[in-house]
Amino acid sequence: MTHDRLAQLLLSAVRAQRFEQTADAMQDGAPLAHFPSLDVAVVAFPRQAPAVWANVLFSREHPQGVVADIGSDGGAVRNIRFDADVRNEHHHSIAWWPNADWRRLRFPPLWGDGPHRFVAPYPASLAKLMLAVGVARWVDQQGCTWDDPVEHAGAVQTVAQHGEDMITVSGNNSTTALVAMLHRCGMLGKAGDRLHDAFALYGLPTLRFENTRPDGGWGNAAGAGVGQLQMTAWDTARLLWLLDADAPPAPWLAPGTPPLLSRDSQRQLRQWLEAQALHEVLSSTALAGEPGWVAGLPAQLPPRWIDDDGGVVAGGYRFAPDVRPASNQATLRFAHKTGTTENYVSDAGIVRGVAPHRGCHYLIALLSNLGTRYAPTTHCATTWRIPALARTIDASLAP
């Protein structure tokens, strides 16, 4: 396997799903008006061989896909000019409406000056991974401990409890509490932005967590949200690389660069990611009881979320039973974070094999505008084409 070979596998896997035929609720179920945007990155860690990586990007401007130009050190993408997402004064994500004319929209620059433009979709709740890193760095700097109490909306939980809720079930209240905490300590906000300083230090230029408020506001109504919280698949995969204790050293960092997180904080974030309840995007195990279910990454679902009837119950969500057969037969463990809204879906994480596939180890990240308006049922987060894509990628990596 080579970088170029992996890139071609990713291009073929995306093209095979015929995303241009995806039904759009805003089109009354007719295919979407424009080819959707998909940003997909994979880093594979073969046994006794160097890491292999690739990033491919598709959009209405690149319906056949573009392969990201990444140097031999795994540094930042060199041939893409990333623009940030946009919304209007009513907080609507206008770039993804069927009648949106991108020639009339002003997309602010995000990063890069390559010949190919790519409008980076809002990462939705995948952005909470960036916040978790900020919290962990503050703990490592002895600004607080995981056991410190944090009050929000009249309730008190520890820093660790808020972090777990934010990652495992995508709790918005806990996210607000932790945003406010990082403002108070100067990790976020105009008084100091040490989170972005960290992303710059570790060579992750498209990770942005901007314009959040001291009261914890982080969504569209607060002036943040779409266009202010930004990620791309390649930088998300490389962030995961830095969180993966089993991965080799990051080749793009200079020798002597201190670790992003301490071993203890790295272990804490990994535990939350492994405890993920919302297997509904790249892994669709939580949806195994849905009519017409399409398997994604064959990932185990943590038993703590499975009810007596085999349905997944977590964070106010209840999925159709019975997921136990799919989870029991799964051959992977997927430590990940998802994000989904009407217009967006994302998922990124660390994949490890379980018996008899223990040698399997790779990172995968996907960001797209294919949110719930493209889902086949009200319980689904996106089109079945997304988990089908993930399953194809996993099968391609198996050898």
Side-chain angles (χ1 to χ4, degrees), residues 87-356:
R87 64 178 189 269
N88 65 13
E89 65 275 14
H90 303 295
H91 311 307
H92 296 144
S93 298
I94 53 177
W96 315 103
W97 287 353
N99 61 352
D101 185 351
W102 281 16
R103 295 170 299 180
R104 297 177 177 273
L105 295 178
R106 295 185 177 181
F107 296 98
L110 176 58
W111 187 85
D113 57 2
H116 306 292
R117 192 268 289 269
F118 184 79
V119 177
Y122 173 55
S125 287
L126 178 59
K128 295 168 184 175
L129 177 61
M130 295 190 288
L131 183 63
V133 169
V135 172
R137 284 181 64 84
W138 185 234
V139 171
D140 286 345
Q141 294 166 19
Q142 300 182 337
C144 68
T145 72
W146 292 115
D147 295 325
D148 283 355
V150 178
E151 182 178 359
H152 175 69
V156 177
Q157 294 191 98
T158 66
V159 174
Q161 288 171 329
H162 278 303
E164 181 181 37
D165 181 68
M166 177 178 70
I167 296 298
T168 61
V169 296
S170 209
N172 289 335
N173 286 336
S174 286
T175 304
T176 300
L178 294 177
V179 168
M181 185 188 80
L182 291 193
H183 270 274
R184 290 192 295 271
C185 69
M187 286 288 287
L188 291 174
K190 295 180 180 178
D193 199 345
R194 283 176 275 178
L195 182 57
H196 288 144
D197 290 345
F199 293 150
L201 174 64
Y202 291 92
L204 307 171
T206 66
L207 303 188
R208 291 285 183 269
F209 204 91
E210 297 179 334
N211 282 345
T212 55
R213 297 195 318 206
D215 65 359
W218 56 276
N220 286 348
V226 173
Q228 308 302 311
L229 311 185
Q230 292 281 176
M231 306 174 79
T232 62
W234 179 237
D235 280 359
T236 301
R238 293 195 298 148
L239 176 63
L240 289 165
W241 193 329
L242 299 176
L243 300 178
D244 186 354
D246 300 321
W252 69 91
L253 296 180
T257 302
L260 175 66
L261 299 179
S262 69
R263 282 289 182 177
D264 287 343
S265 286
Q266 192 180 54
R267 189 179 305 112
Q268 178 67 88
L269 263 63
R270 179 69 172 267
Q271 288 175 353
W272 293 341
L273 294 169
E274 288 181 342
Q276 178 60 243
L278 305 180
H279 283 248
E280 54 178 349
V281 185
L282 293 175
S283 162
S284 60
T285 310
L287 298 169
E290 283 291 314
W293 176 63
V294 174
L297 296 179
Q300 297 175 344
L301 207 151
R304 64 184 280 195
W305 306 116
I306 302 177
D307 206 1
D308 291 342
D309 65 354
V312 175
V313 181
Y317 299 94
R318 183 174 184 88
F319 298 92
D322 185 357
V323 307
R324 288 171 294 190
S327 185
N328 292 340
Q329 296 168 17
T331 57
L332 301 176
R333 192 172 289 122
F334 190 25
H336 65 122
K337 179 71 189 80
T338 63
T340 182
T341 69
E342 178 186 19
N343 292 294
Y344 306 100
V345 73
S346 56
D347 197 358
I350 303 165
V351 178
R352 292 305 307 263
V354 296

